[in-house]
Amino acid sequence: NGRVLLRPGKICLDKVKPLETQVAGHGTGAKISHRGMLIHEDGYVFKPAQAPPKGTREIQFYERISSSNHPVDKMLYSLVPKFFGTETISRDGISSSQYLILEDLTKGMVSPCVMDVKIGAKTYGPDATRAKMQQEDAKYLGTKKPLGYSVLGIINRSGKNGALKRFDKTFGMELETSSVSKIIQVFFNTDVEEPKIVKQLIAQFTAELGRIKTFFESQTRYHIYASSLLLVYDHSIFGSRENVTSVDNNSDTPVGGCQSAPNGVKMPRNAQNGVVVPRESQNGDRVSHIVENTTQNGTQMSHSAHSAAELSHRDEDSARPHHEHVRLKIIDFAHVFPGQETRDENFLFGLNNLHQLFSSFT
């Protein structure tokens, strides 16, 4: 029937490992802590629930959209990682923490490359204090307010062995409005990778961004603040004879009146440093999902009394399998508020500009 049940007896503790390669958020960089993300080899990611009200709000949001028959909720659930309930994890019998159990978006990939992009010129909800507003507004000055998005981190790979390279939040904070082409160059490692395959990957992400954009152009049920888009592709495609589907693999003709950059990736003629300047401009941290093979000792799990263990897969989402090499989902929902029958212009503003950036390289 498509349901995935999570019970204490079904989760093997030796299959749960720390998630050391998070792109951004708590547990990364100099803030590495013992209460970070965890990965289960069967395809689950364990995300620590934040303290109330943020953690409670996120859990309730996932529970609502994963069980609702409302058409907006059903469509939105197809755009986020699948939710399998919550679990309480106790370490050495001393302390315990609640985790959300989510789909691992890198499952099945040989060498996942990941980018976390927070969406919105405003990255705090209507309940934010003035201090929080000022703190958030002071971040990512080159892209957040001018373009409505912030690059929190990137992991790319290169070479036959897929050697990993990390770009932390410093990369995103140093971006200028006129230099956002670096996002494409770094995420796809365009200086060294095959231009034709890079173009295919960009086209697939552009299509996925367009799908999310279409949804937000009409939905008025939610306003979503400080959420991210998690973009994932498998670097092994560069060593494969397979093509990325839904892309014209036989055409090397520039699209949309573009000219070739030195590395062979198409650049729009009207762009400055590969950037399409937006027609308009407008006047929180996060966690993401990557796989790392390390070990963890002394971890115990117990089923939470608040678990949503019997939440089902969406039939329509199951009918739309992940692309083999490209995946894109919305993540992090600690700041979701009622839309009150108005469009989420803040989210849509950043989404439009990110879609425009990717489109300029196709």
Side-chain angles (χ1 to χ4, degrees):
N1 59 8
R3 292 173 181 257
V4 176
L5 307 181
L6 293 178
R7 300 190 180 94
K10 185 173 180 178
I11 300 176
C12 299
L13 300 184
D14 59 356
K15 294 184 178 181
V16 179
K17 303 174 182 179
L19 193 63
E20 297 282 340
T21 54
Q22 292 176 215
V23 178
H26 303 293
T28 60
K31 297 181 179 179
I32 293 177
S33 68
H34 296 292
R35 191 175 181 269
M37 304 283 288
L38 303 173
I39 184 72
H40 190 284
E41 66 180 48
D42 287 344
Y44 307 128
V45 163
F46 292 69
K47 175 184 178 180
Q50 298 183 60
K54 295 178 183 178
T56 304
R57 187 186 294 138
E58 182 167 33
I59 292 171
Q60 290 176 346
F61 174 77
Y62 269 114
E63 290 177 339
R64 181 187 309 116
I65 67 169
S66 62
S67 60
S68 171
N69 286 319
H70 192 286
V72 171
D73 291 346
K74 292 170 72 174
M75 182 60 192
L76 182 53
Y77 189 56
S78 74
L79 302 176
V80 309
K82 292 186 182 72
F83 174 65
F84 302 107
T86 62
E87 202 73 36
T88 298
I89 299 179
S90 176
R91 298 176 184 280
D92 301 319
I94 299 174
S95 61
S96 61
S97 303
Q98 188 178 31
Y99 285 73
L100 289 79
I101 306 175
L102 302 169
E103 169 189 20
D104 171 22
L105 298 180
T106 68
K107 184 180 180 182
M109 291 190 174
V110 177
S111 302
C113 298
V114 184
M115 178 164 66
D116 184 322
V117 184
K118 185 178 287 189
I119 302 297
K122 180 190 291 186
T123 53
Y124 47 82
D127 61 339
T129 63
R130 178 169 293 276
K132 179 63 174 179
M133 294 179 188
Q134 293 174 342
Q135 179 188 43
E136 288 296 309
D137 287 343
K139 298 177 181 178
Y140 302 94
L141 297 178
T143 63
K144 182 189 282 189
K145 286 198 173 182
L147 298 173
Y149 58 79
S150 311
V151 177
L152 305 189
I154 295 175
I155 288 177
N156 73 10
R157 298 173 188 266
S158 62
K160 293 182 178 180
N161 62 347
L164 181 150
K165 186 172 183 180
R166 182 193 303 274
F167 296 80
D168 62 15
K169 63 183 179 181
T170 303
F171 170 81
M173 288 182 172
E174 292 178 350
L175 284 171
E176 300 291 340
T177 308
S178 60
S179 66
V180 293
S181 61
K182 291 180 181 178
I183 297 170
I184 301 295
Q185 293 162 4
V186 169
F187 185 41
F188 298 103
N189 208 8
T190 59
D191 290 339
V192 298
E193 301 297 0
E194 171 60 43
K196 183 177 179 180
I197 298 177
V198 169
K199 182 180 176 181
Q200 294 170 3
L201 291 169
I202 293 172
Q204 186 67 32
F205 277 117
T206 302
E208 290 300 308
L209 286 167
R211 177 173 174 247
I212 298 174
K213 177 171 160 297
T214 298
F215 170 72
F216 274 90
E217 285 172 342
S218 62
Q219 82 87 15
T220 59
R221 187 168 170 84
Y222 301 106
H223 284 185
I224 299 173
Y225 300 93
S227 293
S228 287
L229 296 179
L230 196 72
L231 296 84
V232 186
Y233 72 90
D234 193 346
H235 181 266
S236 68
I237 184 65
F238 288 105
S240 170
R241 293 183 177 273
E242 299 179 40
N243 290 314
V244 181
T245 60
S246 304
V247 178
D248 180 3
N249 298 313
N250 298 317
S251 174
D252 292 319
T253 305
V255 178
C258 292
Q259 58 189 357
S260 294
N263 57 14
V265 177
K266 308 304 179 186
M267 303 276 281
R269 285 199 176 96
N270 65 339
Q272 179 181 9
N273 294 329
V275 182
V276 176
V277 180
R279 296 188 181 93
E280 59 179 351
S281 60
Q282 286 186 358
N283 304 354
D285 289 326
R286 56 125 354 271
V287 187
S288 55
H289 325 315
I290 318 296
V291 176
E292 172 72 10
N293 292 322
T294 56
T295 59
Q296 175 173 324
N297 297 318
T299 299
Q300 296 180 336
M301 288 187 171
S302 62
H303 198 55
S304 171
H306 302 287
S307 173
E310 296 192 1
L311 292 176
S312 65
H313 287 300
R314 283 279 178 224
D315 291 338
E316 53 269 59
D317 196 32
S318 298
R320 180 187 173 87
H322 278 318
H323 189 276
E324 183 178 359
H325 300 290
V326 172
R327 298 167 191 171
L328 192 159
K329 296 288 184 178
I330 311 170
I331 59 172
D332 298 336
F333 300 102
H335 302 277
V336 179
F337 295 86
Q340 299 179 335
E341 301 304 317
T342 62
R343 292 201 317 178
D344 190 348
E345 298 292 350
N346 179 62
F347 195 92
L348 193 54
F349 172 65
L351 186 58
N352 279 335
N353 282 318
L354 190 64
H355 178 261
Q356 192 173 31
L357 172 65
F358 272 73
S359 295
S360 71
F361 283 86
T362 58

